[in-house]
């Protein structure tokens, strides 16, 4: 499904279009607080991922499976107690202290301040304790592969059987009464005088359009709907998010061109990365900060309450209005604390993924060794082993191949990461040991500072520090919890030219570009993962049998994500971009498809007819503008925002498990 970055790109374009059009809705975006609520609304139904995601409750219920996959990572960062590991400082504080001390040391060396260097001796010596703590924390990574694997393997969406209001909120908001919920948000906001609520409803309209147009596209790349291959959807979504953010940040269709070998200019390497986009700032409200939320995770207590009560009451009332008389409860997360926690965790995860603070944004091609310091520092032996205080740490085993037929993303990859991180920690420890020894000699009056040697030591330690944090980046990327670097979207053009293979498996041609529509190939049936911890075959296209009846999926031919974002194709030199996917209306229809009640009702009756639909709504920007400027709230339709099972079906249920689909069953 489209992630937060893609939703924000679409929102930015819609906000700009509203301002240029002089639309009255643009006035809602004039204050920082209103804009934060508009972006929070633009996250759309995906906000339901973290309803009930509470650090103060047991991890089995009512926390979502998505949060269960994140929770061990967040505990590792916060220092919360985990199985076999007592509470501590946490990896975030340790890495922050290492980097802060080394950055300070770099400045002292650059300015050759001897007294300042001597004043850092105790601070440098403390890093030995910090390094040992990092080594202890890193050993817990071996257990993460099993924990994450179990959460992913067990975490498929609920079977589509009524009542929908007892599903996890993410599934309810995507697959049940989607138009009715948006209608409630709009009408309740417009009935009052709180511009924050109106801004949220405006953003929620964009979120609805982004999912409506984006999820069918992602289903095409995945080969199955979210309901059947939920984690492959998320893994593919992280690559599409990276492409969409980078492409539009690089100028979009007016600036980016692709040659006949699908190589962009500027190159992927030069597209802006998500890891320093600071997307958490888009939804920032006064009082929020990572330290307080991490402390809540560390202590296992409720997160700070930051959303205003007026918003909480508004959201709960809209949910109740859309999904029946069932009172919002803690079991679904649709209560005050559930909403507060969902907001805090959404902000925290965006901070972790896109701020560059917890995991520095340092793509491997940008992390260079210090100049004129040799090929390798003195504490690293020729075979890659590290010598720390006379103890030799052997090099890790070679990283396994990334052939997706090997069930390795959670198992082998993380096992390899464990070895790499342990060695990188040894590098850092070895370098710091030599720095401390050199400074100690200066303090004892044995020698004057060898500034050049210290520069090399510090430079090499920083290289290995970034290697260490890039190992964590790889762990999150391959687990489907983080975004790749844009350079990782590139493919091997020589392998493609001479063998016809697209390599590596995570190149954009495999993970971002759509596939040609072929008859009777969609949708693939329910994911059958290998048992944990090897439940990691989501890089593979599905091999499960076809779910009957076969349906069409969007788009018809090869396309890049601009097709569902704004519809504009790449520009050739000097030519203006052209739109390939404008707002769509059926022949003879009086309304665009997105609000065509007659066609919506007709599709209710065709939900079990093979290849029943062959048309899509248009691009998300134009659909958003149509819904904002020309659509009454009463005209909003209950489209299935997951694009399930094909293009543009109404929401639907199963009368009983295994029965044919139906769109005529009461959902709540």
């Amino acid at each position: 499904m489209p992630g937060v970055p893609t939703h924000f790109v679409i929102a930015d374009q819609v906000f700009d279009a509203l301002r240029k059009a002089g639309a009255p809705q643009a006035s809602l975006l004039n204050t920082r607080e209103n804009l934060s609520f508009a972006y929070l609304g633009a996250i759309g139904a995906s906000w339901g991922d973290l309803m009930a995601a509470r650090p103060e409750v047991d991890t089995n219920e009512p926390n979502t499976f998505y949060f269960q996959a994140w929770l061990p990572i967040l505990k590792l960062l916060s220092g919360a107690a985990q199985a076999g590991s007592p509470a501590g400082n946490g990896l975030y504080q340790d890495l922050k202290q290492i980097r802060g001390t080394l950055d300070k040391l770099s400045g002292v060396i650059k300015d050759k301040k001897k007294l300042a260097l001597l004043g850092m001796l105790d601070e440098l010596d403390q890093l030995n304790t910090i390094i040992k703590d990092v080594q202890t924390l890193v050993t817990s990574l071996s257990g993460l592969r099993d924990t994450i694997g179990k959460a992913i393997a067990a975490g498929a969406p609920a079977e589509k059987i009524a009542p929908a209001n007892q599903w996890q909120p993410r599934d309810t908001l995507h697959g049940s009464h989607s138009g009715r919920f948006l209608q409630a948000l709009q009408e309740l906001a417009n009935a009052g005088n709180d511009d924050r609520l109106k801004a949220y409803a405006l953003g929620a309209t964009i979120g609805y359009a982004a999912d409506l147009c984006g999820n069918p596209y992602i289903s095409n790349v995945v080969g199955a709907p979210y309901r059947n291959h939920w984690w492959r959807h998320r893994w593919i979504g992280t690559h599409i998010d990276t492409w969409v953010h980078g492409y539009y940040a690089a100028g979009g269709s007016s600036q980016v061109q692709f040659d006949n070998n699908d190589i962009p200019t500027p190159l992927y390497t030069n597209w802006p990365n998500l890891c320093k986009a600071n997307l958490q700032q888009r939804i920032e409200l006064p009082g929020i900060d990572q330290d307080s939320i991490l402390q809540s995770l560390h202590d296992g207590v409720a997160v700070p309450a930051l959303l205003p009560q007026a918003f909480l009451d508004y959201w709960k009332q809209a949910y109740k209005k859309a999904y029946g008389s069932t009172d919002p409860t803690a079991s679904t997360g649709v209560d005050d604390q559930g909403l507060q926690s969902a907001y805090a965790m959404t902000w925290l995860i965006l901070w972790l993924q896109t701020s560059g603070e917890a995991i520095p944004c340092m793509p491997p091609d940008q992390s260079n060794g210090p100049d004129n310091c040799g090929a390798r520092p003195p504490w690293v032996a020729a075979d890659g082993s590290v010598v720390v205080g006379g103890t030799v740490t052997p090099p890790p085993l070679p990283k396994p191949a990334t052939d997706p037929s090997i069930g390795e993303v959670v198992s082998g990859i993380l096992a390899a990461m464990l070895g790499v991180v342990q060695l990188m920690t040894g590098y850092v420890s070895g370098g710091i040991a030599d720095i401390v020894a050199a400074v100690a000699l200066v303090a004892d009056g044995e020698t004057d500072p060898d500034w050049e040697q210290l520069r090399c030591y510090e430079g090499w330690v920083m290289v290995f520090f970034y290697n260490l944090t890039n190992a964590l980046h790889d762990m999150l990327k391959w687990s489907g919890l983080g975004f790749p670097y844009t350079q990782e979207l590139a493919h091997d053009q020589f392998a493609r030219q001479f063998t016809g293979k697209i390599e590596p498996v995570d190149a954009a041609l495999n993970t971002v570009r759509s596939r040609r529509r072929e008859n009777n190939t969609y949708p693939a049936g329910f994911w059958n993962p290998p048992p944990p911890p090897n439940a990691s075959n989501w890089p593979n296209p599905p091999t499960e049998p076809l779910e009957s009846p076969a349906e069409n999926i969007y788009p018809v031919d090869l396309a890049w994500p601009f097709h569902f974002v704004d519809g504009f194709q790449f520009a050739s030199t000097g030519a203006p971009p052209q739109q390939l996917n404008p707002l769509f209306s059926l022949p003879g229809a009086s309304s665009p498809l997105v609000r065509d009640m007659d066609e919506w009702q007709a599709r209710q009756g065709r939900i079990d007819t093979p290849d029943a639909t062959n048309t899509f709504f248009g691009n998300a920007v134009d659909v958003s503008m149509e819904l904002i400027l020309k659509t009454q709230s009463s005209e909003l339709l209950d489209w299935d925002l997951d694009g399930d099972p094909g293009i543009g079906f109404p929401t639907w249920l199963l009368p009983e498990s295994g029965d044919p689909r139906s769109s005529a069953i009461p959902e709540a």
Side-chain angles (χ1 to χ4, degrees):
M1 61 185 187
V4 173
T6 297
H7 282 79
F8 284 175
V9 166
I10 294 168
D12 285 338
Q13 295 209 41
V14 175
F15 294 162
D16 285 346
L18 291 172
R19 293 183 181 108
K20 289 176 183 177
Q25 292 85 352
S27 64
L28 296 171
L29 309 173
N30 289 339
T31 71
R32 182 68 189 86
E33 188 175 20
N34 285 354
L35 196 58
S36 292
F37 278 97
Y39 278 118
L40 186 60
I43 292 175
S46 299
W47 198 33
D49 278 331
L50 296 171
M51 298 292 178
R54 309 183 194 189
E56 76 272 21
V57 299
D58 179 64
T59 57
N60 295 317
E61 288 292 342
N63 286 313
T64 63
F65 288 111
Y66 180 67
F67 188 60
Q68 287 182 44
W70 263 112
L71 194 55
I73 303 291
L74 297 177
K75 285 186 173 182
L76 181 74
L77 288 167
S78 67
Q82 301 194 65
S85 174
N89 293 332
L91 192 59
Y92 166 61
Q93 289 295 340
D94 285 346
L95 294 178
K96 181 180 179 181
Q97 185 168 345
I98 293 172
R99 182 166 57 167
T101 300
L102 292 176
D103 285 344
K104 181 179 177 181
L105 177 64
S106 176
V108 168
I109 293 171
K110 181 180 179 181
D111 295 336
K112 298 183 178 179
K113 295 181 177 179
K114 181 176 179 179
L115 290 178
L117 178 67
L118 296 177
M120 286 193 68
L121 184 57
D122 288 343
E123 196 173 346
L124 289 165
D125 204 33
Q126 288 176 10
L127 291 187
N128 289 319
T129 302
I130 299 299
I131 290 293
K132 290 177 182 177
D133 190 50
V134 170
Q135 289 172 321
T136 300
L137 289 168
V138 161
T139 60
S140 70
L141 290 177
S142 60
L144 290 185
R145 51 184 172 162
D146 185 58
T147 304
I148 295 172
K150 285 180 178 177
I152 292 169
E159 191 172 13
K160 299 189 81 166
I161 297 174
N165 60 15
Q166 292 182 14
W167 302 343
Q168 289 188 356
R170 185 264 166 220
D171 302 329
T172 296
L173 294 171
H174 278 84
S176 173
H177 292 176
S178 57
R180 194 178 307 182
F181 179 62
L182 181 57
Q183 176 184 346
L185 289 173
Q186 290 186 358
E187 291 178 349
L188 289 170
N190 290 332
N193 297 315
D194 193 332
D195 281 351
R196 298 171 301 180
L197 307 186
K198 293 177 183 179
Y200 181 86
L202 173 67
T205 306
I206 299 168
Y208 172 96
D211 287 331
L212 194 63
C213 300
N215 267 318
Y217 180 95
I218 295 178
S219 291
N220 172 298
V221 183
V222 170
Y226 179 86
R227 171 176 50 89
N228 287 353
H229 283 257
W230 82 298
W231 206 259
R232 179 165 170 79
H233 255 263
R234 292 180 177 275
W235 189 74
I236 290 292
T238 62
H239 291 76
I240 289 175
D241 286 337
T242 296
W243 193 97
V244 168
H245 172 83
Y247 174 69
Y248 287 94
S253 57
S254 64
Q255 298 295 324
V256 181
Q257 300 178 37
F258 273 64
D259 66 16
N260 293 333
N261 294 313
D262 296 299
I263 298 172
T265 302
L267 296 172
Y268 283 126
T269 304
N270 298 315
W271 287 18
N273 274 296
L274 271 170
C275 56
K276 54 183 177 183
N278 277 305
L279 295 186
Q280 81 286 353
Q281 294 176 357
R282 304 284 188 95
I283 61 169
E284 213 156 71
L285 295 175
I288 197 167
D289 69 277
Q290 68 273 5
D291 290 335
S292 61
I293 303 174
L294 288 170
Q295 193 64 46
S296 293
L297 285 158
H298 179 277
D299 298 339
V301 299
V303 299
L306 296 164
L307 292 170
Q309 190 62 45
F311 176 82
L312 302 176
D313 294 340
Y314 156 74
W315 207 96
K316 290 183 298 181
Q317 187 177 353
Y319 189 88
K320 187 173 182 178
K321 188 174 181 180
Y323 299 109
S325 59
T326 300
D327 289 331
T329 63
S331 62
T332 62
V334 186
D335 63 358
D336 286 1
Q337 191 52 45
L339 293 168
Q340 295 284 11
S341 193
Y343 168 70
M345 292 305 158
T346 300
W347 185 94
L348 182 69
I349 288 173
L350 283 174
W351 168 80
L352 172 62
Q353 293 171 326
T354 71
S355 72
E357 289 187 46
I359 300 177
C361 187
M362 184 59 66
D365 66 326
Q366 297 179 22
S367 180
N368 301 314
D371 294 335
N372 303 316
C373 291
R376 131 181 109 251
W379 60 86
V380 180
D383 66 353
S385 59
V386 178
V387 181
V388 183
T391 301
V392 178
T393 302
L397 296 174
K399 184 176 179 178
T402 56
D403 183 339
S405 64
I406 303 170
E408 65 172 19
V409 178
V410 166
S411 53
I413 283 281
L414 291 191
M417 291 303 138
L418 176 64
V420 171
V421 173
Q422 285 177 323
L423 186 64
M424 294 308 156
T425 307
Y427 287 158
V428 177
S429 184
I432 288 172
D434 275 5
I435 291 172
V436 170
V439 176
L441 285 175
V442 176
D444 291 341
E446 299 290 336
T447 182
D448 283 329
D450 186 335
W451 296 111
E452 187 63 14
Q453 182 189 61
L454 286 170
R455 180 187 69 83
C456 287
Y457 282 0
E458 184 274 334
W460 276 115
V461 170
M462 286 302 296
V463 168
F464 293 125
F465 171 81
Y466 287 129
N467 286 342
L468 186 157
T469 54
N470 267 321
L472 298 175
H473 161 88
D474 285 349
M475 181 187 72
L476 291 177
K477 182 197 82 168
W478 281 102
S479 296
L481 297 171
F483 303 111
Y485 292 126
T486 53
Q487 69 178 42
E488 294 172 301
L489 298 174
H491 61 275
D492 185 333
Q493 59 178 316
F494 298 106
R496 188 184 186 196
Q497 179 179 353
F498 294 113
T499 70
K501 293 182 178 180
I502 298 174
E503 298 176 344
V505 63
D506 55 334
L509 286 173
N510 288 322
T511 56
V512 176
R513 191 179 66 170
S514 70
R515 304 172 187 276
R516 286 190 173 93
R517 182 190 296 175
E518 298 178 2
N519 292 332
N520 298 319
T521 59
Y522 183 88
F526 188 76
W527 180 38
N528 183 28
N534 298 312
S536 53
N537 60 350
W538 52 81
N540 301 329
T543 58
E544 287 76 10
L546 181 71
E547 176 184 284
S548 182
E551 297 292 356
N552 291 318
I553 192 57
Y554 157 84
V556 175
D557 209 338
L558 299 176
W560 291 98
F562 68 82
H563 200 276
F564 77 82
V565 173
D566 64 4
F568 284 93
Q569 66 177 339
F570 311 122
S572 58
T573 303
Q578 293 182 339
Q579 195 173 69
L580 299 181
N581 184 24
L583 192 68
F584 177 78
S585 298
L586 288 166
S590 59
S591 302
L593 176 59
V594 69
R595 58 185 181 94
D596 187 339
M597 173 64 78
D598 292 338
E599 179 63 12
W600 182 84
Q601 290 176 336
R603 293 188 184 200
Q604 282 187 314
R606 302 201 301 261
I607 200 163
D608 275 305
T609 302
D611 301 322
T613 65
N614 198 39
T615 52
F616 33 87
F617 300 98
N619 66 82
V621 173
D622 282 354
V623 169
S624 295
M625 293 295 285
E626 175 70 21
L627 294 175
I628 292 167
L629 298 180
K630 299 180 181 180
T631 305
Q632 300 296 316
S633 62
S634 59
E635 296 177 299
L636 294 167
L637 300 174
D638 288 333
W639 294 112
D640 193 310
L641 299 185
D642 271 329
D644 184 350
I647 309 171
F649 279 106
T651 56
W652 56 274
L653 292 172
L654 303 172
E656 292 184 9
S657 180
D659 284 352
R661 309 173 188 122
S662 172
S663 53
I665 304 170
E667 296 179 44

